[in-house]
């Protein structure tokens, strides 16, 4: 088992290498460079800057230079935030995104699983229909619309929650809610389906026949057995929540890493683009390995490949 | 036989009927936009800038004095086109890739799946942004960008089905009769995965429509003269307090359509393949 | 469909330990990340101190004033630093660290005399040597400063910056003593004291820069001489400035400045509404809503917005066509749509700048436009090829382009296609193959017509039109060195007529404008046309 996990992690390295190469070449195909500005620079100055950042060298040389420093764990200097390293930028902003993502993750799971269970137990009743409608509605709205709606209601009208910024835990409520409603809806539907399915199985009927009480059956047999499909999506979901927070971070002015997804590309801040891509790819890889481990712990018959 | 059962079931399900009606209306709006919209979508009325709903302009006007209703009707064109095209494209790439990988097995399969691993571990959004900046400026750029990030899921799904079907008698029999790989893929394998694929499609379409609206938010959405629901919603989201009609109507169009697709997808899935729920 | 259930789904029961652990883990995880909690604990703010809260649009790319180029860094730096000169409320350069300056008879030598009582915030006096070091650092090719060209008027500055000469002693700046700075120019430049208000010309502490290298701008390392000093810099989130007790000038009226990094205008507006900010700029769609508010302030900016023609491309090689286009657009209709107090413009030098003349330029005249077009061979638009207007992706640019598109259709019966490109892609296109009609803007680096008019000379790196007119070049070169105001005015009038009435390589559309909300308890706040924010004059009277 441990050997297998180790091998999976090892395989992550070449994957990251390919991701780095792919992003690097894509990035350099994109027209426009980091120091192109509205006001054109005199050629002499353009040349000075290119020399300073090795941008005057052939792309292949730049690639090799980058890979060399990457292998030492150095992600290079940012071209936009002068005097700051990509390592610094990431280590300052990533924890914020991670925290926001985890809050959203927890909300999504609690909200999703609980409404899913209620729906499944009361299947085809009004509660079921309403909660499933709300759940579907949750994945039917662009994030930014949801965000402004929440801000308008909770900050401007009710004056109950801060509209933006990142000072204390209260400030995390609206953004993580915005981020989590979609996934919560997804989990809710998944849970409902899975439980309904298990409820129809023979061993549940047996348990009922044995005269076990309904809550006991539900908690002891049903939920435990219906959890595996939910586990499978948790990995990708966790990764999406941490990586997909850019709109939320932008609208709520949260000092996370998500907004670099846009700004690093629009600024052509090559080292920063590379840095965040690598971090997020690593995260996705780890999330998937984690799920595989969880999965094989839950169900030993599912062997890790 | 099955088809009839489906209609019978749908007939009893009011929400499913409603969803289908919405989807049909949206498709009709997209197809017949010039006949349905009260005004040409670009015509500007300098005397009616940012007016709320009125009899003349049922859903109000935008910043240039254009009729919002007409723009939403025309917007359905782009949104549906983005939804359908990018999903179909992803479906085709993914299905063929997955089928080949699954059937070929062993080394080829292993290699092809490693590529899927790599694409899978790239952050979607970054890839979309980079691709649409590279291809840029056109609707096609957006189709491709959205398709290129979503084909992997489909490839995995089809590969799984392929692995399963491969072991089954009729495929082995076909192979025994000397059928080529290509024939096996198109005649035996893909038709057998049609069910899950249709279900996937009904979920992919709304996802693509939403993704396009996200792209609009970043400023990489559909370019003028076209406008999608995503660009309309994005033009209006900041005005929610000042000109609420600008955001309410486009997002309601998005909301209703996506809701309908999702519900239809659910119904189809429950019907075609209850096991699919897990995926 | 075959529905054989190959994978058994009846899982064996989970161990209770595992289940409990899983749930516990999910609930506990967020509490393991306390980053969010105690952000504000170290702030030493005392009750009753005056705080001014504002937003900046992005993380400042750098606070190194040799390297900074953008507005955000500028907002911060102009409040923690001072240079030789500074603008007054009407954007005239007035003495700051320099108490006076003298220009030689031929206009090529300027001597700045520094005040005696100016100190850095570590109590070291500010000297002319600090200026000399700073300017030479700016021009040093190894620094890679984008704004090095600000000092290209100095003797040998360009040569040193471009590597033609290596000896920095030849550059035309010299500290004669601790308090006297002598500047030698290539040619007379009447606007030079305006240049020294700009951040790239501020003095630098050689010892600090060399000691801390890339990190010298971090709080704790950075040493400044302005009314405020950098106290805290939480990247991507907030900067805090405090009053500098060692500042030579009048005592400042606020103790703290908090600058939050808020990229989205609408978020900032909401924060203003909820009382978390004292000043905010209003996003375009909201301007109308606040126009009657007592907190609303509108200030036209020295920032022009124009459409340029690539005059090599047919049919725009014909100046009658270009004139017809310029006459067929009613600028008023554009500003009506924008609703932000923008000023319609048919001439290039913006309102509020020396040389502005609203009578210059082609006025809206559709009949004359149609006549000109017919004269060029396209009677009522017949045979005119479809035209592309290219702009960088942005909601406002799109709106303007769509408006122009419909006006050209109405007035000239010409079909226009719109093409937008992502910003950097667009800049690349402009450089390599300028589109037939493109959108650009220009914001003043210093409030002098030279800065605007120089743009379209044949030697300008920012002239994307390919238009060359020797007479225009001659006028602009003459204008830069003319001291007599009446004569100078006449020169720019003539040049503007060539640019906006005769050759028309560009059509100016409007002058941008800034829309702010400022709380009533903020006193002494005076916005200016260059968006320079001197907070030392501001008071909070809550």
């Amino acid at each position: 088992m441990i050997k297998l996990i180790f091998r999976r992690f090892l395989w992550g390295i070449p994957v990251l290498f390919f991701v780095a190469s792919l992003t690097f070449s894509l990035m350099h195909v994109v027209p426009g460079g980091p120091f192109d500005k509205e006001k054109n620079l005199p050629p002499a100055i353009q040349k000075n800057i290119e020399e300073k950042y090795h941008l005057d060298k052939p792309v292949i040389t730049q690639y090799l230079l980058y890979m060399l420093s990457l292998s030492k764990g150095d992600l290079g200097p940012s071209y936009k935030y002068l005097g700051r390293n990509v390592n610094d930028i990431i280590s300052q902003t990533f924890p914020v995104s991670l925290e926001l993502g985890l809050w959203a993750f927890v909300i999504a799971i609690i909200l999703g699983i609980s409404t899913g269970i209620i729906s499944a137990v009361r299947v085809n009743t009004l509660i079921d229909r309403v909660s499933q409608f709300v759940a579907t509605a949750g994945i039917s709205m662009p994030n930014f619309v949801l965000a402004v709606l929440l801000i308008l209601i909770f900050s401007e009208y009710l004056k109950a929650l801060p509209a933006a910024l990142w000072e204390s835990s209260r400030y995390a409520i609206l953004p993580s809610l915005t981020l989590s409603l979609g996934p919560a809806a997804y989990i809710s539907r998944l849970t409902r389906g899975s439980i309904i399915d298990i409820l129809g199985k023979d061993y549940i009927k047996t348990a009922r026949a044995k005269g076990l009480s309904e809550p006991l059956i539900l908690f002891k047999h049903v939920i435990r057995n219906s959890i595996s499909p939910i586990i499978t999506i948790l990995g990708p979901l966790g990764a999406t929540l941490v990586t997909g927070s850019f709109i939320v971070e932008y609208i709520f002015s949260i000092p996370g890493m998500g907004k670099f997804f846009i700004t690093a590309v629009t600024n052509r801040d090559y080292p920063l683009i590379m840095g965040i891509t690598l971090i997020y790819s690593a995260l996705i890889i780890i999330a998937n390995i984690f799920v595989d481990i969880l999965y094989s712990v839950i169900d030993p018959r599912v062997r890790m490949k | 036989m099955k088809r009839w059962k489906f209609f019978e079931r749908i007939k009893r399900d009011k929400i499913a009927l409603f969803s289908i009606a919405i989807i049909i209306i949206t498709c009709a709006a997209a197809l017949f936009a010039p006949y349905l919209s009260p005004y040409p979508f670009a015509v500007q009325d300098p005397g009616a800038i940012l007016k709320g709903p009125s009899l003349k302009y049922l859903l109000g006007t935008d910043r240039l004095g254009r009729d919002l209703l007409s723009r939403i009707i025309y917007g359905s064109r782009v949104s549906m086109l983005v939804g359908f095209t990018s999903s179909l494209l992803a479906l085709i790439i993914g299905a063929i890739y997955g089928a080949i990988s699954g059937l070929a097995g062993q080394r080829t399969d292993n290699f092809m799946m490693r590529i899927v691993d790599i694409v899978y571990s790239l952050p979607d959004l970054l890839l979309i942004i980079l691709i649409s900046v590279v291809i840029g400026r056109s609707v096609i750029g957006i189709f491709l960008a959205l398709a290129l990030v979503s084909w992997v899921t489909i490839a995995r799904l089809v590969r799984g089905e392929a692995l399963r079907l491969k072991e089954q008698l009729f495929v082995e029999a076909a192979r025994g009769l000397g059928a080529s790989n290509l024939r096996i893929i198109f005649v035996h394998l893909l038709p057998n995965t049609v069910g899950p694929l249709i279900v996937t499609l009904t979920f992919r379409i709304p996802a693509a429509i939403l993704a396009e609206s996200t792209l609009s938010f970043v400023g990489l959405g559909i370019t003028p003269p076209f406008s999608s629901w995503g660009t309309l919603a994005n033009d209006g989201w900041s005005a929610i307090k000042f000109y609420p009609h600008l955001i309410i109507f486009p997002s309601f169009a998005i909301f209703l359509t996506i809701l309908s697709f999702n519900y239809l997808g659910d119904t189809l899935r429950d019907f075609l393949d209850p096991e699919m729920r897990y995926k | 469909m075959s529905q054989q259930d190959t994978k058994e789904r009846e899982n064996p029961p989970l161990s209770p330990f595992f289940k409990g652990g899983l749930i516990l883990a999910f609930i506990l995880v967020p509490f393991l990340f306390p980053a969010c909690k105690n952000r504000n604990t170290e702030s030493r703010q005392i009750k009753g101190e005056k705080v001014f809260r504002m937003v900046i649009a992005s993380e400042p790319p750098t606070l190194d004033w040799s390297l900074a180029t953008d507005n955000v860094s500028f907002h911060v730096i102009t409040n923690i630093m001072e240079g030789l000169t500074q603008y007054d409320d009407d954007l005239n350069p007035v003495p700051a660290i320099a108490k006076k300056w003298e220009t030689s008879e031929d206009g090529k030598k300027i001597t700045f005399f520094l005040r005696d009582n100016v100190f850095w915030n570590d109590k070291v006096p500010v000297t002319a040597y600090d200026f000399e070091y700073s300017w030479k650092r700016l021009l040093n090719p190894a620094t890679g400063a984008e704004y090095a060209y600000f000092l290209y008027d100095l003797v040998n500055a360009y040569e040193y910056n471009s590597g033609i000469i290596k000896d920095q002693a030849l550059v035309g700046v010299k500290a004669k003593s601790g308090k006297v700075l002598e500047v030698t120019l290539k040619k007379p430049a009447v606007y030079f004291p305006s240049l020294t208000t700009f951040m790239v010309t501020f003095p630098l502490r050689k010892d600090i820069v060399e000691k801390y290298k890339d990190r010298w701008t971090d709080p704790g390392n950075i040493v400044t001489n302005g009314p405020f000093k950098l106290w805290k810099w939480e990247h991507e989130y907030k900067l805090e400035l405090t009053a500098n007790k060692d500042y030579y000038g009048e005592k400042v009226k606020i103790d703290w400045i908090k600058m939050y990094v808020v990229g989205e205008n609408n978020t900032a507006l909401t924060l203003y509404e909820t009382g978390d900010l004292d000043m905010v700029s209003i996003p375009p769609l909201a301007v109308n809503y606040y126009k009657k508010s007592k907190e609303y302030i509108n200030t036209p900016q020295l920032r022009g917005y124009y459409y340029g023609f690539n005059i090599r491309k047919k049919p725009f090689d014909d100046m009658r066509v270009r004139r017809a286009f310029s006459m067929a657009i009613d600028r008023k209709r554009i500003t009506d749509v924008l609703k932000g107090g923008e000023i319609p413009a048919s001439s290039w030098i913006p309102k509020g700048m020396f040389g502005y003349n609203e009578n210059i330029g082609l006025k809206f005249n559709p009949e004359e436009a149609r006549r000109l077009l017919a004269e060029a061979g396209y009677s009522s638009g017949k045979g005119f090829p479809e035209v592309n207007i290219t702009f960088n992706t942005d909601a406002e640019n799109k709106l303007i382009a769509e408006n122009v598109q419909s006006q050209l259709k109405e007035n000239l019966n010409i079909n226009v296609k719109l093409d937008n490109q992502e910003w950097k892609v667009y800049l690349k296109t402009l450089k390599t193959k300028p589109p037939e009609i493109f959108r650009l803007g220009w914001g003043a680096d210093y409030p002098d017509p030279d800065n605007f008019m120089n743009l379209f000379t044949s030697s300008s790196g920012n002239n994307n039109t390919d238009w060359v007119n020797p007479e225009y070049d001659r006028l602009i070169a003459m204008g830069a060195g003319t001291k007599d105001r009446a004569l100078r005015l006449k020169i720019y009038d003539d040049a503007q007529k060539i640019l906006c009435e005769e050759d028309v390589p560009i059509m100016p559309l409007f002058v941008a404008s800034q829309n702010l909300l400022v709380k009533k308890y903020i006193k002494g706040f005076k916005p200016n046309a260059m968006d320079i924010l001197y907070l030392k004059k501001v008071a909070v009277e809550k």
Side-chain angles (χ1 to χ4, degrees):
Chain A
M1 179 73 182
I2 286 165
K3 219 170 140 191
L4 277 171
I5 295 170
F6 183 68
R7 266 180 51 193
R8 284 291 301 268
F9 272 105
L10 220 55
W11 165 239
I13 293 168
V15 171
L16 279 182
F17 171 77
F18 281 114
V19 167
S21 310
L22 194 72
T23 315
F24 193 92
S25 31
L26 253 179
M27 206 167 69
H28 282 269
V29 175
V30 177
F35 298 99
D36 292 341
K37 298 272 170 77
E38 179 167 24
K39 299 183 177 181
N40 270 334
L41 296 173
I45 292 176
Q46 191 82 35
K47 203 181 105 238
N48 291 340
I49 294 170
E50 283 174 2
E51 275 170 18
K52 184 172 173 183
Y53 293 101
H54 306 298
L55 288 168
D56 53 336
K57 303 212 166 58
V59 177
I60 277 290
T61 321
Q62 291 182 42
Y63 174 75
L64 293 176
L65 280 173
Y66 183 81
M67 285 300 173
L68 193 71
S69 70
L70 183 66
S71 65
K72 293 180 208 143
D74 179 8
L75 295 167
S78 163
Y79 292 168
K80 174 74 182 177
Y81 304 104
L82 305 176
R84 289 174 73 196
N85 269 322
V86 174
N87 296 54
D88 297 344
I89 295 179
I90 288 177
S91 63
Q92 280 155 359
T93 54
F94 182 64
V96 176
S97 287
L98 193 65
E99 186 184 341
L100 177 65
L102 284 171
W103 276 112
F105 193 64
V106 172
I107 296 179
I109 288 174
I110 293 175
L111 217 64
I113 294 188
S114 56
T115 55
I117 293 174
I118 294 170
S119 264
V121 175
R122 298 268 175 273
V123 71
N124 287 337
T125 61
L126 191 67
I127 296 177
D128 174 31
R129 288 194 183 275
V130 169
S131 70
Q132 284 315 295
F133 177 78
V134 174
T136 321
I139 32 179
S140 305
M141 216 187 288
N143 246 349
F144 57 90
V145 177
L146 198 59
V148 286
L149 271 180
L150 290 176
I151 294 176
L152 196 68
I153 296 170
F154 290 100
S155 306
E156 291 222 41
Y157 292 149
L158 298 179
K159 307 214 180 292
L161 291 167
L165 302 182
W166 193 246
E167 301 279 340
S168 63
S169 313
R170 277 179 71 227
Y171 288 76
I173 300 177
L174 284 188
S176 46
L177 207 59
T178 310
L179 203 54
S180 64
L181 281 189
Y186 188 59
I187 294 177
S188 171
R189 282 150 41 110
L190 204 66
T191 313
R192 175 180 176 267
S194 174
I195 291 184
I196 290 175
D197 199 53
I198 301 286
L199 281 174
K201 297 284 183 200
D202 287 342
Y203 64 87
I204 299 294
K205 288 175 190 151
T206 320
R208 284 209 175 111
K210 278 199 289 190
L212 293 177
S213 74
E214 274 306 303
L216 193 70
I217 295 176
L218 189 66
F219 286 101
K220 197 151 172 122
H221 297 282
V222 180
I223 293 177
R224 183 180 300 169
N225 287 319
S226 53
I227 209 156
S228 61
I230 298 161
I231 300 273
T232 48
I233 68 149
L234 289 187
L237 181 72
T240 329
L241 282 177
V242 177
T243 62
S245 53
F246 81 107
I247 286 185
V248 170
E249 283 180 16
Y250 179 70
I251 292 182
F252 288 95
S253 270
I254 293 168
M257 190 167 142
K259 56 174 167 274
F260 293 132
F261 262 101
I262 316 164
T263 55
V265 177
T266 50
N267 291 329
R268 304 290 188 276
D269 192 342
Y270 298 145
L272 191 54
I273 298 177
M274 294 299 293
I276 54 170
T277 311
L278 286 173
I279 291 292
Y280 280 155
S281 298
L283 202 71
I284 295 170
I285 293 170
I286 292 169
N288 282 323
I289 297 175
F290 186 67
V291 165
D292 285 350
I293 298 168
L294 261 188
Y295 209 73
S296 60
V297 171
I298 293 171
D299 183 354
R301 279 171 299 173
V302 180
R303 284 279 121 83
M304 278 184 74
K305 278 179 285 186
Chain B
M1 275 303 283
K2 248 187 165 174
R3 222 157 276 157
W4 287 116
K5 270 192 208 150
F6 183 66
F7 283 121
E8 253 164 48
R9 179 173 170 170
I10 289 277
K11 257 196 291 184
R12 277 183 282 122
D13 190 341
K14 293 251 168 54
I15 304 181
L17 271 181
F18 185 70
S19 305
I20 291 176
I22 296 282
I23 292 170
I24 290 174
I25 291 171
T26 315
C27 290
L31 285 173
F32 305 110
Y35 308 104
L36 290 173
S37 57
Y39 299 90
F41 76 102
V43 88
Q44 302 176 8
D45 179 352
I49 286 173
L50 286 169
K51 290 280 180 290
S54 65
L55 275 180
K56 194 172 176 207
Y57 301 106
L58 284 178
L59 302 185
T61 57
D62 70 359
R63 293 179 75 185
L64 287 166
R66 294 173 299 196
D67 178 40
L68 193 59
L69 175 61
S70 309
R71 292 187 72 73
I72 290 178
I73 292 177
Y74 272 94
S76 68
R77 267 191 168 181
V78 182
S79 285
M80 296 301 262
L81 198 67
V82 168
F84 275 101
T85 319
S86 66
S87 319
L88 275 175
L89 214 58
L91 198 73
I92 293 169
I93 302 173
I96 294 178
Y97 191 94
I100 293 174
S101 178
L103 274 191
Q106 286 148 0
R107 278 204 160 148
T108 325
D109 180 34
N110 211 350
F111 176 74
M112 289 176 84
M113 280 299 119
R114 291 294 87 95
I115 292 178
V116 167
D117 276 355
I118 291 167
V119 178
Y120 196 76
S121 32
L122 281 166
D124 284 7
L125 188 79
L126 195 88
L127 203 61
I128 295 181
I129 291 176
L130 280 175
I131 292 173
S132 46
V133 174
V134 174
I135 304 174
R137 312 187 349 224
S138 64
V139 187
I140 296 166
I142 289 176
F143 292 162
L144 275 180
L146 292 180
L148 284 178
V149 295
S150 50
W151 65 272
V152 279
T153 339
I154 295 167
R156 282 191 168 166
L157 182 102
V158 174
R159 172 180 170 268
E161 291 291 317
L163 285 179
R164 200 159 63 81
L165 287 171
K166 196 163 76 168
E167 309 302 325
Q168 285 177 18
L169 279 177
F170 69 101
V171 173
E172 275 176 22
R175 207 184 277 279
L177 288 171
S180 69
N181 273 338
L182 217 61
R183 196 183 148 80
I184 290 175
I185 291 176
F186 282 100
V187 177
H188 298 288
L189 219 163
L190 290 183
N192 272 300
T193 51
V194 154
L197 286 183
I198 288 179
V199 175
T200 314
L201 194 65
T202 50
F203 286 114
R204 277 256 80 85
I205 292 171
I209 294 176
L210 269 189
E212 192 273 330
S213 78
T214 306
L215 271 185
S216 300
F217 186 85
V218 186
L220 292 169
I222 297 289
T223 59
F226 307 114
S227 57
S228 67
W229 289 342
T231 47
L232 290 178
N234 181 47
D235 285 347
W237 77 271
S238 58
I240 190 160
K241 248 176 86 183
F242 318 111
Y243 308 102
H245 68 278
L246 285 185
I247 177 67
I248 290 176
F249 298 122
S251 14
F252 194 66
I254 298 179
F255 179 73
L256 217 55
T257 309
I258 293 185
L259 203 66
S260 305
F261 268 110
N262 278 325
Y263 199 84
L264 183 69
D266 275 347
T267 316
L268 268 176
R269 181 177 51 187
D270 286 352
F271 180 76
L272 283 176
D273 181 4
E275 281 298 312
M276 279 278 297
R277 264 192 221 113
Y278 302 118
K279 285 167 192 152
Chain C
M1 256 180 86
S2 66
Q3 269 312 325
Q4 282 165 311
D5 200 357
T6 46
K7 288 161 275 174
E8 279 288 86
R9 294 223 168 253
E10 284 163 38
N11 302 325
L14 290 174
S15 81
F17 171 76
F18 174 74
K19 195 179 81 180
L22 197 70
I23 293 167
L24 207 65
F26 286 141
I27 293 170
L28 283 185
V29 153
F31 300 101
L32 301 176
F33 289 83
C36 192
K37 302 265 157 52
N38 38 20
R39 276 187 167 270
N40 252 1
T41 45
E42 51 172 309
S43 144
R44 272 209 224 132
Q45 197 177 313
I46 304 159
K47 229 181 172 182
E49 282 192 327
K50 304 287 187 194
V51 187
F52 181 76
R53 300 156 304 166
M54 57 178 284
V55 294
I56 43 181
S58 73
E59 158 89 3
T62 173
L63 291 186
D64 181 334
W65 44 93
S66 299
L67 298 175
T69 56
D70 65 290
N71 226 5
V72 174
S73 308
F74 182 67
H75 277 323
V76 183
I77 293 168
T78 43
N79 283 302
I80 56 176
M81 276 302 294
E82 250 173 49
L84 292 170
T85 54
Q86 189 169 57
Y87 288 122
D88 64 7
D89 289 340
D90 303 317
L91 295 176
N92 301 304
V94 293
I97 292 179
K99 59 186 174 202
K100 60 171 184 170
W101 57 91
E102 286 164 4
T103 311
S104 68
E105 203 53 44
D106 62 357
K108 286 187 181 174
K109 188 165 276 182
I110 306 178
T111 314
F112 290 94
F113 300 92
L114 273 57
R115 285 177 210 272
D116 297 321
N117 58 340
V118 187
F119 296 93
W120 296 95
N121 64 354
D122 59 354
K123 303 204 169 24
V124 173
V126 175
T127 65
Y129 300 104
D130 298 332
F131 283 94
E132 188 185 332
Y133 169 71
S134 166
W135 292 17
K136 285 179 174 166
R137 179 176 183 254
L138 180 74
L139 291 168
N140 187 339
T143 309
E146 290 181 39
Y147 272 4
Y149 66 84
F150 254 82
L151 292 180
Y152 274 10
D153 287 325
L154 266 56
V155 161
N156 282 329
Y158 170 77
E159 287 75 5
Y160 174 52
N161 186 238
S162 58
I164 298 170
I165 59 167
K166 299 278 177 226
D167 184 5
Q168 56 167 323
L170 297 173
V171 176
V173 56
K174 183 111 195 73
K176 285 285 177 197
S177 73
K179 295 295 163 192
V180 181
L181 187 74
E182 191 180 84
V183 178
T184 321
L185 303 176
K186 259 180 209 150
K187 56 180 174 36
V190 292
Y191 48 76
F192 197 82
S194 289
L195 294 188
T196 52
T197 65
F198 194 58
M199 58 183 172
V200 296
T201 68
F202 291 170
L204 266 177
R205 279 281 290 280
K206 187 178 183 194
D207 52 334
I208 301 290
V209 174
E210 286 177 353
K211 182 172 168 196
Y212 297 111
K213 309 236 162 43
D214 272 355
R215 307 251 167 219
W216 78 266
T217 55
D218 288 353
N221 299 353
I222 191 170
V223 172
T224 56
N225 67 12
F228 298 95
K229 58 185 179 187
L230 182 65
W231 171 254
K232 198 156 99 180
W233 185 0
E234 287 174 35
H235 289 293
E236 324 297 330
Y237 186 64
K238 184 171 64 176
L239 282 99
E240 288 186 27
L241 312 182
T242 58
N244 175 13
K245 298 205 170 51
D246 302 307
Y247 178 58
Y248 74 92
E250 207 179 310
K251 196 173 175 302
V252 293
K253 301 180 187 75
I254 37 184
D255 306 297
W256 288 82
I257 300 170
K258 291 187 180 177
M259 298 172 159
Y260 292 97
V261 177
V262 176
E264 175 50 52
N265 276 337
N266 296 287
T267 305
L269 185 61
T270 313
L271 287 172
Y272 180 85
E273 289 279 359
T274 53
D276 295 302
L277 291 175
D278 299 316
M279 178 180 91
V280 77
S281 93
I282 314 176
L285 266 170
V287 172
N288 229 16
Y289 185 88
Y290 290 101
K291 263 193 178 146
K292 294 204 178 67
S293 160
K294 286 203 174 69
E295 300 169 357
Y296 173 73
I297 300 176
N298 172 280
T299 330
Q301 297 291 294
L302 297 181
R303 185 169 183 89
Y305 188 108
Y306 69 94
Y307 274 3
F309 297 101
N310 179 347
I311 67 147
R312 301 245 172 261
K313 289 206 170 160
K314 270 187 186 310
F316 298 104
D317 53 345
D318 186 336
M319 61 176 83
R320 285 170 304 191
V321 173
R322 303 199 297 263
R323 283 184 211 155
F325 267 60
S326 190
M327 281 183 179
I329 295 166
D330 183 0
R331 272 76 163 172
K332 179 79 174 34
R333 258 182 75 183
I334 299 176
T335 55
D336 280 352
V337 163
L338 294 174
K339 286 182 189 286
E342 292 82 1
I343 304 160
S346 55
S347 55
W348 179 231
I349 296 176
K351 189 174 183 175
M353 189 181 258
F354 176 80
Y356 170 70
N357 186 341
E358 65 172 332
N359 296 318
I360 294 178
L362 300 170
K363 304 294 170 197
F364 178 56
N365 187 344
E367 288 88 42
E368 178 63 10
R370 281 191 284 270
R371 200 192 59 75
L372 276 168
L373 200 67
E375 209 180 289
Y378 307 100
S379 168
S380 56
K382 261 195 227 79
F384 204 89
E386 194 180 54
V387 178
N388 260 307
I389 293 180
T390 314
F391 54 95
N392 59 298
T393 312
D394 170 86
E396 302 299 292
N397 290 340
K398 185 172 104 180
L399 209 61
I400 293 158
E402 284 175 324
N403 188 285
V404 168
Q405 178 186 39
S406 110
Q407 291 204 46
L408 288 174
K409 179 73 188 167
E410 259 167 59
N411 299 331
L412 295 178
N413 192 30
I414 285 172
N415 290 316
V416 175
K417 262 183 67 184
L418 304 182
D419 185 6
N420 64 335
Q421 301 178 351
E422 191 261 354
W423 180 229
K424 297 265 178 175
V425 178
Y426 182 66
L427 290 174
K428 185 87 186 167
T429 312
L430 281 181
K431 255 187 214 167
T432 49
K433 39 178 198 286
E436 42 196 5
I437 300 182
F438 55 86
R439 163 276 143 187
L440 265 182
W442 186 262
D445 295 314
Y446 46 94
D448 187 278
D450 178 68
N451 184 240
F452 261 68
M453 297 300 279
N454 207 341
L455 211 60
F456 300 105
T457 56
S458 54
S459 57
S460 156
N462 286 294
N463 180 358
N464 299 298
T465 62
D466 246 355
W467 172 72
V468 174
N469 185 322
E471 173 62 10
Y472 181 85
D473 286 3
R474 194 185 63 81
L475 286 170
I476 301 309
M478 205 162 91
T482 304
K483 270 190 193 163
D484 183 274
R485 286 174 74 89
L487 181 62
R488 200 161 183 238
L489 204 60
K490 169 90 180 44
I491 292 171
Y492 285 121
D493 274 359
D494 290 347
Q496 279 213 89
K497 276 180 191 145
I498 298 176
L499 185 72
C500 306
E501 290 180 6
E502 292 163 23
D503 285 8
V504 200
I506 61 159
M507 29 184 190
L509 294 179
F510 60 87
V511 175
S513 164
Q514 191 183 40
N515 296 288
L516 296 175
L517 289 175
V518 180
K519 295 278 188 201
K520 279 281 116 194
Y521 52 75
I522 300 297
K523 307 289 179 196
F525 176 79
K526 274 217 186 93
N528 60 41
M530 278 179 66
D531 192 16
I532 301 171
L533 191 68
Y534 292 126
L535 287 171
K536 63 176 177 179
K537 294 168 189 159
V538 173
V540 181
E541 291 175 10
K542 254 198 255 200

